Amino acid sequence: MYPNRLALAGLAYSLWTPAGMWLGSCIENDIRIPQEDYDVPVEPADELDAATRTDLITPELRPVDILMVVDDSCSMGDDQGRLLSFIPILIEPLEAFEVDYHIGTTTTDCDENVWCGIISWLDSDLVENLVLELTPLVQVGTGGSGAEQGSKALAYALHQAYEGGANWGFFRSGEPLEVIVITDEPDSSTDRMQTTVMYRELNDFVERLDKDVRIHVITQNDPGLVYPNPQYCWAPYTADYLDLASATGGKVQNICDANWAPVMDEIAQEFIRYQYIFLLSRLPVSGTVSVLVETDCCTVNPRDEYPEAWHYDQVKNAVVLDDFPLDIIRRVVIEYTVAGQP
């Protein structure tokens, strides 16, 4: 799930303080989601003050922006090739649901690099051959700095998001952002000002563009691995990025694993399932919520065939679909008794 604004602000505050500085080194040289964040059409079938209420909700998948921060140092040639081979697993579920996406890349090379944070990107409406068109964007070369600065690159990318900036048009206001950092080294953006700027930019970006953000990481996440270990993987442990993934609800994949398909599929599937969270228009009496699903052929009780098809989330005041085929849903009918009514 995506974090809310307070979660990001709290993370930023803790990491700005000297005790919580988000530090890295270079060896190579449930979170509450506010109701207003959703734009779900609700068609009340009863009067607002009625004791029993029915919400009729038609799912609408939001567009998504996908930014990959790719390490372009000398050790990343093979990993860039693997990333390219697994990207279709991320994109194919989005295309199956006809999700409008932007996908782009920037690199971790920010050592006196005027292109630091500048995004090269594709629009799904214009993509004809995804792998072919993504190849130059993902295989960014291995001539970048060995002092990888992923957080600085992300901060610069966000700073250029607004009208007049180099990345204007890639980030769309109000739509989710999925960031994937791919690196085999800890973050070298260790200067306190750079770290502070990164979190300030992230919070400002979230507020100004009303964005939900998750940051996923493909890196070394095994603290017990002795480095270097050429029999297994050359990558050292990278706690700095892992903290950010944890705070934003992101996924983590060990870069040393041969198969990145599961994490790519999880990112896509969770994004899609996240869209099938149906907010109730009023607070219900506990235990009174019932759900029907309208499909092309009929109206069904999803729990008849899938006993764990959905649950009511009290924090979000929403019905969340857990185990039900999403592609057959045309409308969801939610009935409940309104709390506080005589």
Side-chain angles (χ1 to χ4, degrees):
M1 296 303 176
Y2 297 92
N4 66 4
R5 287 34 168 172
L6 293 178
L8 282 174
L11 169 68
Y13 176 79
S14 68
L15 293 173
W16 288 345
T17 60
M21 282 286 290
W22 187 44
L23 299 178
S25 60
C26 179
I27 301 176
E28 185 174 348
N29 157 201
D30 296 305
I31 302 172
R32 183 178 177 86
I33 302 179
Q35 181 148 342
E36 59 267 25
D37 280 358
Y38 290 83
D39 184 19
V40 180
V42 176
E43 305 169 28
D46 300 324
E47 293 299 322
L48 198 60
D49 58 354
T52 301
R53 186 167 183 79
T54 303
D55 291 340
L56 310 176
I57 308 176
T58 302
E60 292 185 358
L61 286 177
R62 300 161 66 184
V64 61
D65 304 327
I66 303 168
L67 172 61
M68 294 179 289
V69 182
V70 182
D71 186 343
D72 61 342
S73 62
C74 62
S75 60
M76 285 291 294
D78 291 343
D79 293 318
Q80 291 173 17
R82 281 200 293 164
L83 174 62
L84 183 64
S85 69
F86 287 118
I87 282 177
I89 297 173
L90 170 69
I91 297 301
E92 285 169 2
L94 303 183
E95 292 184 336
F97 279 83
E98 298 182 349
V99 174
D100 176 9
Y101 64 85
H102 288 174
I103 183 168
T105 63
T106 191
T107 76
T108 58
D109 183 7
C110 288
D111 264 358
E112 300 181 357
N113 180 9
V114 296
W115 299 101
C116 174
I118 304 302
I119 300 171
S120 301
W121 58 283
L122 301 174
D123 185 330
S124 61
D125 291 339
L126 304 176
V127 171
E128 296 182 359
N129 185 319
L130 179 65
V131 174
L132 180 64
E133 294 174 48
L134 269 179
T135 297
L137 276 64
V138 171
Q139 294 187 318
V140 291
T142 56
S145 172
E148 296 92 328
Q149 300 180 65
S151 67
K152 182 177 180 180
L154 179 56
Y156 277 40
L158 301 181
H159 184 72
Q160 295 286 340
Y162 316 112
E163 186 170 2
N167 298 329
W168 185 68
F170 174 77
F171 300 105
R172 290 168 289 186
S173 180
E175 309 302 352
L177 170 64
E178 304 280 354
V179 178
I180 306 175
V181 180
I182 306 96
T183 180
D184 64 355
E185 291 283 354
D187 186 37
S188 294
S189 307
T190 55
D191 177 85
R192 182 172 183 178
M193 180 59 68
Q194 291 180 9
T195 305
T196 302
V197 165
M198 184 272 178
Y199 286 104
R200 284 179 176 169
E201 288 292 347
L202 182 58
N203 280 277
D204 185 56
F205 174 82
V206 165
E207 292 297 336
R208 289 179 64 178
L209 291 185
D210 189 27
K211 301 283 278 189
D212 294 316
V213 180
R214 288 194 307 173
I215 301 178
H216 315 279
V217 180
I218 299 176
T219 190
Q220 172 54 267
N221 66 337
D222 183 358
L225 182 66
V226 177
Y227 172 80
N229 185 348
Q231 284 72 39
Y232 179 56
C233 182
W234 283 100
Y237 181 59
T238 54
D240 34 26
Y241 292 118
L242 300 178
D243 291 340
L244 189 54
S246 175
T248 59
K251 298 293 181 182
V252 175
Q253 169 68 53
N254 195 317
I255 195 170
C256 297
D257 293 341
N259 185 12
W260 300 352
V263 74
M264 291 296 189
D265 186 61
E266 285 181 18
I267 292 170
Q269 297 297 341
E270 283 200 3
F271 168 77
I272 292 169
R273 191 162 292 278
Y274 175 75
Q275 310 305 307
Y276 286 81
I277 297 177
F278 301 96
L279 296 179
L280 278 60
S281 57
R282 302 290 295 277
L283 290 173
V285 173
S286 178
T288 67
V289 177
S290 65
V291 176
L292 296 175
V293 171
E294 296 180 358
T295 69
D296 286 337
C297 73
C298 49
T299 300
V300 300
N301 182 338
R303 285 182 172 171
D304 286 346
E305 188 172 352
Y306 301 89
E308 298 181 359
W310 62 273
H311 73 275
Y312 170 70
D313 188 312
Q314 185 175 5
V315 174
K316 302 180 181 69
N317 189 31
V319 166
V320 181
L321 293 184
D322 301 307
D323 182 22
F324 189 79
L326 304 181
D327 57 338
I328 68 172
I329 299 172
R330 297 299 172 260
R331 190 163 69 165
V332 173
V333 182
I334 306 172
E335 187 170 289
Y336 52 95
T337 301
V338 179
Q341 296 295 320

